[in-house]
C-alpha cells in the first residue's frame, strides 16, 4: 500500500468519540484475571433429543463488570467450553469497544517504562512480526486492541501506525481484514475523519 502523502495525526479534540480507560486494556489481561472481573450467567436450553429431554444450563454469558460488555456462547453442550468461548469473544468485544492511550500520544518526556507492562509486552512481542494470527491465538484480541488504539489516535491511518510496529501498512490491513468487525471499526474512524474506507 502506498503511504498517504496527506497523513498527519489528527488533533485530539477532533477524534471520534470512544470509551477511553487507563491502561492496561482489559483485552490484554490474562483470561483468568479477566474472568475475575466478570459475572457469569447461564442459560437453560434443551438437551439432546428435543424439548422433552433433560434441560441443561450450558449457555454462558460473561459480563465484564467495569464496562457492562458481554461475551456469550451457547452452541456447545459443555458449560466449561461455552465459558472459554464466551471469554474469548468478550476479549474481542473489549478490543473493539475500549481504548487506552496510544504511544502516538506520548510526549517527549515519556519513556516506555511509564506505560503499562502488559501492553508493552504485546507491543514488543509483535513488533517486526508477520501479524498473521488465527482466531484461536490467545494474543489476537490483545494485539487488535493495541493496533486499534493506535489507529484511533492516528485517525485510522495505517501508514502512521506501521512505523510503531516496524511493519508494513499491508500487514496491518491484512490483520484487520482477518477479523471483519475490526476493519469495520477502523473504517468508521476513517469516515469520521473524512477518509475513504480500507478494503
Amino acid at each position: 500500500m502506498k503511504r498517504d502523502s496527506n497523513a498527519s495525526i489528527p488533533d485530539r479534540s477532533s477524534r471520534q468519540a470512544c470509551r477511553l480507560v487507563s491502561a492496561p486494556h482489559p483485552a490484554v489481561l490474562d483470561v483468568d484475571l479477566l474472568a475475575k472481573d466478570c459475572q457469569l450467567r447461564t442459560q437453560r436450553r434443551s438437551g439432546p433429543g428435543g424439548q422433552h429431554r433433560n434441560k441443561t444450563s450450558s449457555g454462558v454469558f460473561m459480563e465484564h463488570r467495569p464496562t457492562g460488555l458481554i461475551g456469550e456462547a451457547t452452541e456447545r453442550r459443555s458449560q466449561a467450553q461455552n465459558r472459554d468461548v464466551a471469554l474469548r469473544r468478550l476479549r474481542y468485544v473489549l478490543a473493539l469497544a475500549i481504548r487506552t492511550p496510544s504511544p502516538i500520544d506520548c510526549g517527549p518526556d515519556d519513556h516506555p517504562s511509564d506505560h503499562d507492562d502488559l501492553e508493552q509486552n504485546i507491543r514488543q512481542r509483535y513488533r517486526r512480526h508477520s501479524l498473521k494470527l488465527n482466531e484461536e491465538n490467545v494474543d489476537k484480541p490483545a494485539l487488535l486492541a493495541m493496533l486499534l488504539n493506535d489507529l484511533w489516535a492516528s485517525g485510522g491511518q495505517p501508514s502512521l501506525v506501521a512505523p510503531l510496529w516496524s511493519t508494513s501498512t499491508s500487514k496491518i490491513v491484512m490483520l484487520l481484514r482477518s477479523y471483519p468487525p475490526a476493519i469495520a471499526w477502523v473504517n468508521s474512524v476513517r469516515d469520521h475523519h473524512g477518509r475513504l474506507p480500507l478494503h
Side-chain angles (χ1 to χ4, degrees), residues 4-197:
D4 181 355
S5 59
N6 296 322
S8 62
I9 302 293
D11 184 83
R12 292 186 197 199
S13 64
S14 72
R15 291 178 186 166
Q16 185 179 43
C18 74
R19 199 170 192 172
L20 187 63
V21 301
S22 300
H25 193 290
V28 305
L29 297 177
D30 174 80
V31 173
D32 292 331
L33 195 56
L34 178 62
K36 290 179 182 177
D37 282 339
C38 294
Q39 177 179 348
L40 181 145
R41 288 185 292 117
T42 58
Q43 176 189 57
R44 291 180 67 78
R45 65 181 191 115
S46 295
Q51 64 184 27
H52 299 296
R53 299 295 295 271
N54 294 335
K55 290 189 179 282
T56 62
S57 296
S58 59
V60 171
F61 297 81
M62 298 295 290
E63 180 177 354
H64 185 239
R65 287 189 201 95
T67 63
L69 295 170
I70 295 173
E72 65 179 86
T74 59
E75 63 270 25
R76 291 180 169 81
R77 291 182 181 180
S78 159
Q79 187 180 102
Q81 288 177 336
N82 278 332
R83 177 189 175 276
D84 292 344
V85 173
L87 270 171
R88 185 169 68 244
R89 289 175 180 165
L90 174 62
R91 292 180 73 224
Y92 280 104
V93 169
L94 290 164
L96 288 175
I98 304 293
R99 302 279 59 85
T100 53
S102 165
I104 287 173
D105 291 327
C106 291
D109 297 327
D110 287 336
H111 303 286
S113 60
D114 295 339
H115 304 288
D116 184 80
D117 289 342
L118 293 173
E119 292 192 358
Q120 285 303 313
N121 287 343
I122 290 292
R123 289 180 177 279
Q124 289 168 3
R125 192 175 314 145
Y126 289 97
R127 192 169 283 127
R128 298 182 186 85
H129 191 274
S130 69
L131 304 184
K132 291 181 181 177
L133 283 72
N134 66 39
E135 284 309 296
E136 307 300 314
N137 189 310
V138 70
D139 284 342
K140 188 169 183 178
L143 174 59
L144 277 171
M146 298 301 92
L147 277 169
L148 295 177
N149 287 346
D150 299 342
L151 287 160
W152 173 73
S154 71
Q157 300 173 89
S159 62
L160 297 179
V161 171
L164 289 176
W165 294 86
S166 300
T167 192
S168 66
T169 57
S170 59
K171 286 181 181 174
I172 289 173
V173 173
M174 281 174 54
L175 176 64
L176 296 172
R177 278 193 203 123
S178 76
Y179 186 65
I183 199 158
W185 186 89
V186 171
N187 281 335
S188 75
V189 172
R190 291 178 64 83
D191 181 65
H192 174 81
H193 291 281
R195 295 187 177 91
L196 294 173

